[in-house]
Amino acid sequence: MRAVRGSLTDRLASAARRSGAGRRALALRDELRRRKAPVHWTNLFGVVALACVIVLFVTGFVLMFFYAPSSTQVTYRGSYLPLQGATMSKALESTVNVSFDVRGGLLLRQAHHWAALLLPAAIMLQLLVMFFTGAFRRPRRFSWVLLFGILIIALLGGWSGYALPDDMLSGTGLRIVEGIVLAIPVVGTWLSTLLFGGQFPGDIIEHLYPVHVALVPVLLIVLLALRARTSYLNKPAQFAGEGRTERVIVGLPLWPNHAARSAGTLAVVTAALVMLSAVVTIDPVWLYGPSSPGNASAGSQPDWYTGFLDGALRLVPPGWEFVWLGHTWSLAILVPLFVVGAFLVGVLGYPFFEEWVTGDSSEHHLLVRPRYAATRTAIGVASIVFFGALWGAASADLVATHFRLAVESVVAFYQVAVVVGPPVAFFIARRVCLGLQKRDQGILLHGYETGRIVRMPGGEYVEGHRRVDDHARRRLRTPAVQQPYLARPDERGRLHASDRARAAISRFFFEDQAVPEEEDVTGSSPSAIPPRTDVPR
């Protein structure tokens, strides 16, 4: 009898087992099937960022064939009649031609721009999730650094792409950049010449184009690959729950379940970007017109992700400058640069700072609810308020015109908010976290309030409490209280100033912790009445 041949899948699997590459692929597949990935809504931000990167790469690759990165002046003869006969650069001419003369060109441009706007938001949300849940602790400190690096590269890519159309809006932004660079003492003129290739606008388009299409994509790919590798080598972090420990991960198999969920989310985000690009116009360069070094676009605003930089410049009082060593030191530029730079360095180095303060160098695979790290959460909220004040100040003129306020009053409000807002937000957030901790402890000790009031034989009225189930008990249980760092003398009996400072910061970091009390085994207070079971709900 003729032998029955197997299916195509069986034959391919058999061929794969006979080759070395096939065996390695099958081993990788089996490994992915064994690995578990926790299921939580915060994991979606990484998929959103990946979808934005894919859209950026695909649309950017296609747009490369139609864009001309040249500052050479030409006369526009395209199909957009209002600009007929206008003098503009080849960069703007090619951008307008893509928008009106290339089939689907406007959709590609707008999808590229919308993805560039969404990417920093997705990365910032990932950073916030990692920060508030403590996911940046060992062994994921390097993952935090890589994610911060991806954010900086995304901002660099967005800024360089913002300037490439060479319209009036991007020209205004470049003029601001030139002023900032020239205000840097000693090396400002040299840096401006290096960036612009001479007097403004120089060859800025030719200089930024390689950064946007070569440097930024390569760095993004390298950082994304390194982050994917570190995420694969380290166990995924998860919230406390049933069966979840520092060693045991509860979730879906990485392949094919989790991969299918991620692929579905990626498809949904991509479709949403395409739909948004099809119905909402963004960056209409044909309305702004060609860039002119002597003009500025009224009411121009930067893209949202660079608004905090513009806002920092607007909040500095006028006249902050002095002459020293033959150079003019403009504090109106240097102070915002220093403050923003210090803020970014603080974000980058916070995982190392917290480890130094707490002395906790152990590995953590269980995430912490924000309320149980009151000081860390308060620091995060204060940072958000600081960033928000800078970001809001970038639109101080629009706030003044829309609400019919004096622009000086709006700027003064943001000046006060950027100084007073963070300490107030820190205090409020910390007290809220401590209050939530005490509330959780009360629920663990006495259970949930049922609203059923019962009169006791002695005439006392008490409210019955419902026992907390095991799942909620694991979620509400307060982590072990960590002791502050204690400064001890060295072998010579000397107590260094750095140790005293570390001990003082550590005491401030851990003060007012909610100490977990012994839980009631019945889940109710001694005077509580157990809920009735003979009455239907």
Side-chain angles (χ1 to χ4, degrees), residues 369-402:
R369 300 178 72 193
R371 65 185 61 181
Y372 294 142
T375 303
R376 179 200 301 153
T377 301
I379 292 174
V381 173
S383 301
I384 292 174
V385 171
F386 175 78
F387 179 88
L390 295 182
W391 184 75
S395 299
D397 52 344
L398 295 183
V399 172
T401 55
H402 280 67

PDB file of all heavy atoms in Angstrom, residues 369-402:
ATOM      1  N   ARG A 369       2.331  48.704  45.124  1.00  0.00           N
ATOM      2  CA  ARG A 369       1.282  49.693  44.879  1.00  0.00           C
ATOM      3  C   ARG A 369       1.797  51.070  45.291  1.00  0.00           C
ATOM      4  O   ARG A 369       2.471  51.219  46.319  1.00  0.00           O
ATOM      5  CB  ARG A 369       0.015  49.343  45.644  1.00  0.00           C
ATOM      6  CG  ARG A 369      -0.574  48.007  45.268  1.00  0.00           C
ATOM      7  CD  ARG A 369      -1.802  47.706  46.096  1.00  0.00           C
ATOM      8  NE  ARG A 369      -2.933  48.545  45.711  1.00  0.00           N
ATOM      9  CZ  ARG A 369      -4.043  48.661  46.418  1.00  0.00           C
ATOM     10  NH1 ARG A 369      -4.158  48.010  47.575  1.00  0.00           N
ATOM     11  NH2 ARG A 369      -5.037  49.427  46.001  1.00  0.00           N
ATOM     12  N   PRO A 370       1.495  52.113  44.531  1.00  0.00           N
ATOM     13  CA  PRO A 370       2.053  53.445  44.821  1.00  0.00           C
ATOM     14  C   PRO A 370       1.793  53.924  46.237  1.00  0.00           C
ATOM     15  O   PRO A 370       2.646  54.613  46.822  1.00  0.00           O
ATOM     16  CB  PRO A 370       1.358  54.337  43.782  1.00  0.00           C
ATOM     17  CG  PRO A 370       1.035  53.425  42.652  1.00  0.00           C
ATOM     18  CD  PRO A 370       0.718  52.097  43.275  1.00  0.00           C
ATOM     19  N   ARG A 371       0.674  53.562  46.834  1.00  0.00           N
ATOM     20  CA  ARG A 371       0.365  54.044  48.181  1.00  0.00           C
ATOM     21  C   ARG A 371       1.321  53.489  49.221  1.00  0.00           C
ATOM     22  O   ARG A 371       1.488  54.079  50.296  1.00  0.00           O
ATOM     23  CB  ARG A 371      -1.067  53.677  48.542  1.00  0.00           C
ATOM     24  CG  ARG A 371      -1.323  52.182  48.649  1.00  0.00           C
ATOM     25  CD  ARG A 371      -2.781  51.884  48.880  1.00  0.00           C
ATOM     26  NE  ARG A 371      -3.615  52.353  47.783  1.00  0.00           N
ATOM     27  CZ  ARG A 371      -4.936  52.225  47.751  1.00  0.00           C
ATOM     28  NH1 ARG A 371      -5.565  51.644  48.754  1.00  0.00           N
ATOM     29  NH2 ARG A 371      -5.616  52.672  46.724  1.00  0.00           N
ATOM     30  N   TYR A 372       1.958  52.355  48.958  1.00  0.00           N
ATOM     31  CA  TYR A 372       2.855  51.733  49.924  1.00  0.00           C
ATOM     32  C   TYR A 372       4.285  52.270  49.824  1.00  0.00           C
ATOM     33  O   TYR A 372       5.136  51.874  50.610  1.00  0.00           O
ATOM     34  CB  TYR A 372       2.865  50.225  49.741  1.00  0.00           C
ATOM     35  CG  TYR A 372       1.539  49.582  50.055  1.00  0.00           C
ATOM     36  CD1 TYR A 372       1.058  48.515  49.306  1.00  0.00           C
ATOM     37  CD2 TYR A 372       0.761  50.046  51.102  1.00  0.00           C
ATOM     38  CE1 TYR A 372      -0.169  47.931  49.590  1.00  0.00           C
ATOM     39  CE2 TYR A 372      -0.463  49.477  51.386  1.00  0.00           C
ATOM     40  CZ  TYR A 372      -0.920  48.417  50.632  1.00  0.00           C
ATOM     41  OH  TYR A 372      -2.130  47.857  50.909  1.00  0.00           O
ATOM     42  N   ALA A 373       4.537  53.145  48.850  1.00  0.00           N
ATOM     43  CA  ALA A 373       5.819  53.858  48.756  1.00  0.00           C
ATOM     44  C   ALA A 373       5.493  55.344  48.742  1.00  0.00           C
ATOM     45  O   ALA A 373       5.558  56.012  47.710  1.00  0.00           O
ATOM     46  CB  ALA A 373       6.596  53.436  47.517  1.00  0.00           C
ATOM     47  N   ALA A 374       5.091  55.856  49.898  1.00  0.00           N
ATOM     48  CA  ALA A 374       4.517  57.198  49.977  1.00  0.00           C
ATOM     49  C   ALA A 374       5.496  58.269  49.505  1.00  0.00           C
ATOM     50  O   ALA A 374       5.121  59.166  48.737  1.00  0.00           O
ATOM     51  CB  ALA A 374       4.063  57.479  51.413  1.00  0.00           C
ATOM     52  N   THR A 375       6.742  58.206  49.948  1.00  0.00           N
ATOM     53  CA  THR A 375       7.701  59.242  49.576  1.00  0.00           C
ATOM     54  C   THR A 375       8.016  59.187  48.098  1.00  0.00           C
ATOM     55  O   THR A 375       8.097  60.224  47.422  1.00  0.00           O
ATOM     56  CB  THR A 375       8.980  59.086  50.401  1.00  0.00           C
ATOM     57  OG1 THR A 375       8.660  59.133  51.794  1.00  0.00           O
ATOM     58  CG2 THR A 375       9.975  60.190  50.080  1.00  0.00           C
ATOM     59  N   ARG A 376       8.213  57.984  47.566  1.00  0.00           N
ATOM     60  CA  ARG A 376       8.482  57.864  46.134  1.00  0.00           C
ATOM     61  C   ARG A 376       7.312  58.396  45.313  1.00  0.00           C
ATOM     62  O   ARG A 376       7.501  59.119  44.330  1.00  0.00           O
ATOM     63  CB  ARG A 376       8.751  56.412  45.767  1.00  0.00           C
ATOM     64  CG  ARG A 376       9.020  56.209  44.272  1.00  0.00           C
ATOM     65  CD  ARG A 376       8.799  54.762  43.891  1.00  0.00           C
ATOM     66  NE  ARG A 376       9.658  53.893  44.659  1.00  0.00           N
ATOM     67  CZ  ARG A 376       9.366  52.633  44.940  1.00  0.00           C
ATOM     68  NH1 ARG A 376       8.209  52.120  44.537  1.00  0.00           N
ATOM     69  NH2 ARG A 376      10.195  51.874  45.628  1.00  0.00           N
ATOM     70  N   THR A 377       6.093  58.040  45.691  1.00  0.00           N
ATOM     71  CA  THR A 377       4.916  58.523  44.971  1.00  0.00           C
ATOM     72  C   THR A 377       4.811  60.038  45.059  1.00  0.00           C
ATOM     73  O   THR A 377       4.477  60.710  44.071  1.00  0.00           O
ATOM     74  CB  THR A 377       3.654  57.869  45.541  1.00  0.00           C
ATOM     75  OG1 THR A 377       3.762  56.449  45.409  1.00  0.00           O
ATOM     76  CG2 THR A 377       2.420  58.347  44.809  1.00  0.00           C
ATOM     77  N   ALA A 378       5.102  60.599  46.234  1.00  0.00           N
ATOM     78  CA  ALA A 378       5.045  62.052  46.382  1.00  0.00           C
ATOM     79  C   ALA A 378       6.088  62.731  45.496  1.00  0.00           C
ATOM     80  O   ALA A 378       5.821  63.791  44.906  1.00  0.00           O
ATOM     81  CB  ALA A 378       5.259  62.424  47.848  1.00  0.00           C
ATOM     82  N   ILE A 379       7.276  62.152  45.399  1.00  0.00           N
ATOM     83  CA  ILE A 379       8.301  62.704  44.509  1.00  0.00           C
ATOM     84  C   ILE A 379       7.813  62.672  43.064  1.00  0.00           C
ATOM     85  O   ILE A 379       8.001  63.635  42.297  1.00  0.00           O
ATOM     86  CB  ILE A 379       9.618  61.922  44.660  1.00  0.00           C
ATOM     87  CG1 ILE A 379      10.222  62.169  46.039  1.00  0.00           C
ATOM     88  CG2 ILE A 379      10.612  62.311  43.571  1.00  0.00           C
ATOM     89  CD1 ILE A 379      11.448  61.326  46.332  1.00  0.00           C
ATOM     90  N   GLY A 380       7.176  61.575  42.665  1.00  0.00           N
ATOM     91  CA  GLY A 380       6.667  61.484  41.300  1.00  0.00           C
ATOM     92  C   GLY A 380       5.583  62.502  41.020  1.00  0.00           C
ATOM     93  O   GLY A 380       5.573  63.142  39.955  1.00  0.00           O
ATOM     94  N   VAL A 381       4.668  62.700  41.960  1.00  0.00           N
ATOM     95  CA  VAL A 381       3.598  63.683  41.760  1.00  0.00           C
ATOM     96  C   VAL A 381       4.178  65.096  41.703  1.00  0.00           C
ATOM     97  O   VAL A 381       3.763  65.921  40.871  1.00  0.00           O
ATOM     98  CB  VAL A 381       2.559  63.560  42.888  1.00  0.00           C
ATOM     99  CG1 VAL A 381       1.537  64.680  42.803  1.00  0.00           C
ATOM    100  CG2 VAL A 381       1.860  62.215  42.817  1.00  0.00           C
ATOM    101  N   ALA A 382       5.138  65.400  42.554  1.00  0.00           N
ATOM    102  CA  ALA A 382       5.770  66.719  42.514  1.00  0.00           C
ATOM    103  C   ALA A 382       6.480  66.949  41.184  1.00  0.00           C
ATOM    104  O   ALA A 382       6.437  68.058  40.624  1.00  0.00           O
ATOM    105  CB  ALA A 382       6.756  66.851  43.674  1.00  0.00           C
ATOM    106  N   SER A 383       7.112  65.912  40.654  1.00  0.00           N
ATOM    107  CA  SER A 383       7.785  66.046  39.358  1.00  0.00           C
ATOM    108  C   SER A 383       6.781  66.283  38.240  1.00  0.00           C
ATOM    109  O   SER A 383       7.034  67.063  37.317  1.00  0.00           O
ATOM    110  CB  SER A 383       8.608  64.785  39.072  1.00  0.00           C
ATOM    111  OG  SER A 383       9.575  64.574  40.082  1.00  0.00           O
ATOM    112  N   ILE A 384       5.633  65.614  38.309  1.00  0.00           N
ATOM    113  CA  ILE A 384       4.600  65.820  37.302  1.00  0.00           C
ATOM    114  C   ILE A 384       4.081  67.256  37.347  1.00  0.00           C
ATOM    115  O   ILE A 384       3.865  67.897  36.308  1.00  0.00           O
ATOM    116  CB  ILE A 384       3.454  64.817  37.502  1.00  0.00           C
ATOM    117  CG1 ILE A 384       3.941  63.392  37.190  1.00  0.00           C
ATOM    118  CG2 ILE A 384       2.255  65.158  36.621  1.00  0.00           C
ATOM    119  CD1 ILE A 384       2.909  62.324  37.495  1.00  0.00           C
ATOM    120  N   VAL A 385       3.887  67.791  38.558  1.00  0.00           N
ATOM    121  CA  VAL A 385       3.421  69.174  38.694  1.00  0.00           C
ATOM    122  C   VAL A 385       4.466  70.140  38.144  1.00  0.00           C
ATOM    123  O   VAL A 385       4.134  71.113  37.441  1.00  0.00           O
ATOM    124  CB  VAL A 385       3.101  69.480  40.170  1.00  0.00           C
ATOM    125  CG1 VAL A 385       2.834  70.959  40.370  1.00  0.00           C
ATOM    126  CG2 VAL A 385       1.900  68.658  40.619  1.00  0.00           C
ATOM    127  N   PHE A 386       5.738  69.889  38.422  1.00  0.00           N
ATOM    128  CA  PHE A 386       6.809  70.737  37.896  1.00  0.00           C
ATOM    129  C   PHE A 386       6.822  70.700  36.370  1.00  0.00           C
ATOM    130  O   PHE A 386       6.877  71.743  35.703  1.00  0.00           O
ATOM    131  CB  PHE A 386       8.148  70.271  38.462  1.00  0.00           C
ATOM    132  CG  PHE A 386       9.343  71.000  37.909  1.00  0.00           C
ATOM    133  CD1 PHE A 386       9.657  72.266  38.363  1.00  0.00           C
ATOM    134  CD2 PHE A 386      10.143  70.421  36.941  1.00  0.00           C
ATOM    135  CE1 PHE A 386      10.758  72.956  37.852  1.00  0.00           C
ATOM    136  CE2 PHE A 386      11.244  71.087  36.417  1.00  0.00           C
ATOM    137  CZ  PHE A 386      11.544  72.360  36.879  1.00  0.00           C
ATOM    138  N   PHE A 387       6.781  69.499  35.802  1.00  0.00           N
ATOM    139  CA  PHE A 387       6.762  69.360  34.345  1.00  0.00           C
ATOM    140  C   PHE A 387       5.515  70.016  33.763  1.00  0.00           C
ATOM    141  O   PHE A 387       5.573  70.688  32.724  1.00  0.00           O
ATOM    142  CB  PHE A 387       6.815  67.876  33.977  1.00  0.00           C
ATOM    143  CG  PHE A 387       6.788  67.609  32.494  1.00  0.00           C
ATOM    144  CD1 PHE A 387       7.961  67.568  31.767  1.00  0.00           C
ATOM    145  CD2 PHE A 387       5.585  67.394  31.835  1.00  0.00           C
ATOM    146  CE1 PHE A 387       7.936  67.322  30.406  1.00  0.00           C
ATOM    147  CE2 PHE A 387       5.544  67.142  30.475  1.00  0.00           C
ATOM    148  CZ  PHE A 387       6.731  67.105  29.755  1.00  0.00           C
ATOM    149  N   GLY A 388       4.364  69.830  34.414  1.00  0.00           N
ATOM    150  CA  GLY A 388       3.124  70.411  33.911  1.00  0.00           C
ATOM    151  C   GLY A 388       3.134  71.926  33.930  1.00  0.00           C
ATOM    152  O   GLY A 388       2.582  72.567  33.027  1.00  0.00           O
ATOM    153  N   ALA A 389       3.759  72.522  34.956  1.00  0.00           N
ATOM    154  CA  ALA A 389       3.843  73.983  35.009  1.00  0.00           C
ATOM    155  C   ALA A 389       4.702  74.517  33.868  1.00  0.00           C
ATOM    156  O   ALA A 389       4.353  75.521  33.226  1.00  0.00           O
ATOM    157  CB  ALA A 389       4.405  74.419  36.359  1.00  0.00           C
ATOM    158  N   LEU A 390       5.832  73.868  33.602  1.00  0.00           N
ATOM    159  CA  LEU A 390       6.664  74.285  32.471  1.00  0.00           C
ATOM    160  C   LEU A 390       5.915  74.103  31.156  1.00  0.00           C
ATOM    161  O   LEU A 390       5.969  74.960  30.266  1.00  0.00           O
ATOM    162  CB  LEU A 390       7.962  73.483  32.449  1.00  0.00           C
ATOM    163  CG  LEU A 390       8.939  73.677  33.613  1.00  0.00           C
ATOM    164  CD1 LEU A 390      10.185  72.841  33.399  1.00  0.00           C
ATOM    165  CD2 LEU A 390       9.302  75.140  33.773  1.00  0.00           C
ATOM    166  N   TRP A 391       5.238  72.964  31.032  1.00  0.00           N
ATOM    167  CA  TRP A 391       4.507  72.671  29.797  1.00  0.00           C
ATOM    168  C   TRP A 391       3.371  73.662  29.587  1.00  0.00           C
ATOM    169  O   TRP A 391       3.139  74.131  28.461  1.00  0.00           O
ATOM    170  CB  TRP A 391       3.969  71.245  29.862  1.00  0.00           C
ATOM    171  CG  TRP A 391       3.276  70.777  28.638  1.00  0.00           C
ATOM    172  CD1 TRP A 391       3.846  70.414  27.465  1.00  0.00           C
ATOM    173  CD2 TRP A 391       1.860  70.625  28.472  1.00  0.00           C
ATOM    174  NE1 TRP A 391       2.878  70.027  26.564  1.00  0.00           N
ATOM    175  CE2 TRP A 391       1.653  70.153  27.150  1.00  0.00           C
ATOM    176  CE3 TRP A 391       0.763  70.837  29.304  1.00  0.00           C
ATOM    177  CZ2 TRP A 391       0.378  69.893  26.664  1.00  0.00           C
ATOM    178  CZ3 TRP A 391      -0.502  70.576  28.811  1.00  0.00           C
ATOM    179  CH2 TRP A 391      -0.683  70.113  27.499  1.00  0.00           C
ATOM    180  N   GLY A 392       2.646  74.013  30.644  1.00  0.00           N
ATOM    181  CA  GLY A 392       1.563  74.981  30.502  1.00  0.00           C
ATOM    182  C   GLY A 392       2.060  76.370  30.174  1.00  0.00           C
ATOM    183  O   GLY A 392       1.399  77.126  29.447  1.00  0.00           O
ATOM    184  N   ALA A 393       3.241  76.729  30.685  1.00  0.00           N
ATOM    185  CA  ALA A 393       3.783  78.058  30.415  1.00  0.00           C
ATOM    186  C   ALA A 393       4.110  78.256  28.943  1.00  0.00           C
ATOM    187  O   ALA A 393       4.159  79.396  28.467  1.00  0.00           O
ATOM    188  CB  ALA A 393       5.039  78.289  31.264  1.00  0.00           C
ATOM    189  N   ALA A 394       4.328  77.169  28.215  1.00  0.00           N
ATOM    190  CA  ALA A 394       4.619  77.299  26.788  1.00  0.00           C
ATOM    191  C   ALA A 394       3.434  77.863  26.015  1.00  0.00           C
ATOM    192  O   ALA A 394       3.606  78.402  24.913  1.00  0.00           O
ATOM    193  CB  ALA A 394       5.014  75.933  26.207  1.00  0.00           C
ATOM    194  N   SER A 395       2.236  77.768  26.565  1.00  0.00           N
ATOM    195  CA  SER A 395       1.031  78.301  25.917  1.00  0.00           C
ATOM    196  C   SER A 395       0.445  79.460  26.711  1.00  0.00           C
ATOM    197  O   SER A 395      -0.770  79.685  26.667  1.00  0.00           O
ATOM    198  CB  SER A 395      -0.015  77.191  25.751  1.00  0.00           C
ATOM    199  OG  SER A 395       0.478  76.143  24.942  1.00  0.00           O
ATOM    200  N   ALA A 396       1.284  80.180  27.411  1.00  0.00           N
ATOM    201  CA  ALA A 396       0.781  81.295  28.226  1.00  0.00           C
ATOM    202  C   ALA A 396       0.090  82.343  27.369  1.00  0.00           C
ATOM    203  O   ALA A 396      -0.926  82.925  27.777  1.00  0.00           O
ATOM    204  CB  ALA A 396       1.933  81.928  29.010  1.00  0.00           C
ATOM    205  N   ASP A 397       0.609  82.605  26.164  1.00  0.00           N
ATOM    206  CA  ASP A 397      -0.017  83.609  25.303  1.00  0.00           C
ATOM    207  C   ASP A 397      -1.390  83.161  24.825  1.00  0.00           C
ATOM    208  O   ASP A 397      -2.336  83.954  24.766  1.00  0.00           O
ATOM    209  CB  ASP A 397       0.893  83.925  24.123  1.00  0.00           C
ATOM    210  CG  ASP A 397       1.346  82.674  23.387  1.00  0.00           C
ATOM    211  OD1 ASP A 397       1.211  81.561  23.946  1.00  0.00           O
ATOM    212  OD2 ASP A 397       1.826  82.799  22.249  1.00  0.00           O
ATOM    213  N   LEU A 398      -1.530  81.874  24.497  1.00  0.00           N
ATOM    214  CA  LEU A 398      -2.831  81.376  24.059  1.00  0.00           C
ATOM    215  C   LEU A 398      -3.839  81.335  25.210  1.00  0.00           C
ATOM    216  O   LEU A 398      -5.023  81.612  25.016  1.00  0.00           O
ATOM    217  CB  LEU A 398      -2.678  79.983  23.449  1.00  0.00           C
ATOM    218  CG  LEU A 398      -1.857  79.900  22.160  1.00  0.00           C
ATOM    219  CD1 LEU A 398      -1.850  78.478  21.628  1.00  0.00           C
ATOM    220  CD2 LEU A 398      -2.403  80.854  21.111  1.00  0.00           C
ATOM    221  N   VAL A 399      -3.359  80.993  26.410  1.00  0.00           N
ATOM    222  CA  VAL A 399      -4.245  81.027  27.577  1.00  0.00           C
ATOM    223  C   VAL A 399      -4.753  82.454  27.803  1.00  0.00           C
ATOM    224  O   VAL A 399      -5.941  82.678  28.091  1.00  0.00           O
ATOM    225  CB  VAL A 399      -3.515  80.500  28.821  1.00  0.00           C
ATOM    226  CG1 VAL A 399      -4.357  80.703  30.073  1.00  0.00           C
ATOM    227  CG2 VAL A 399      -3.181  79.029  28.657  1.00  0.00           C
ATOM    228  N   ALA A 400      -3.865  83.423  27.635  1.00  0.00           N
ATOM    229  CA  ALA A 400      -4.255  84.821  27.849  1.00  0.00           C
ATOM    230  C   ALA A 400      -5.280  85.274  26.821  1.00  0.00           C
ATOM    231  O   ALA A 400      -6.256  85.969  27.162  1.00  0.00           O
ATOM    232  CB  ALA A 400      -3.013  85.709  27.800  1.00  0.00           C
ATOM    233  N   THR A 401      -5.099  84.914  25.563  1.00  0.00           N
ATOM    234  CA  THR A 401      -6.036  85.361  24.527  1.00  0.00           C
ATOM    235  C   THR A 401      -7.376  84.635  24.608  1.00  0.00           C
ATOM    236  O   THR A 401      -8.431  85.234  24.396  1.00  0.00           O
ATOM    237  CB  THR A 401      -5.413  85.159  23.143  1.00  0.00           C
ATOM    238  OG1 THR A 401      -5.014  83.772  22.995  1.00  0.00           O
ATOM    239  CG2 THR A 401      -4.186  86.045  22.966  1.00  0.00           C
ATOM    240  N   HIS A 402      -7.347  83.331  24.911  1.00  0.00           N
ATOM    241  CA  HIS A 402      -8.588  82.560  24.949  1.00  0.00           C
ATOM    242  C   HIS A 402      -9.458  82.926  26.145  1.00  0.00           C
ATOM    243  O   HIS A 402     -10.692  82.936  26.045  1.00  0.00           O
ATOM    244  CB  HIS A 402      -8.283  81.061  24.970  1.00  0.00           C
ATOM    245  CG  HIS A 402      -7.948  80.505  23.613  1.00  0.00           C
ATOM    246  ND1 HIS A 402      -6.808  80.849  22.935  1.00  0.00           N
ATOM    247  CD2 HIS A 402      -8.628  79.650  22.798  1.00  0.00           C
ATOM    248  CE1 HIS A 402      -6.775  80.223  21.764  1.00  0.00           C
ATOM    249  NE2 HIS A 402      -7.872  79.487  21.663  1.00  0.00           N
TER     250      HIS A 402
END
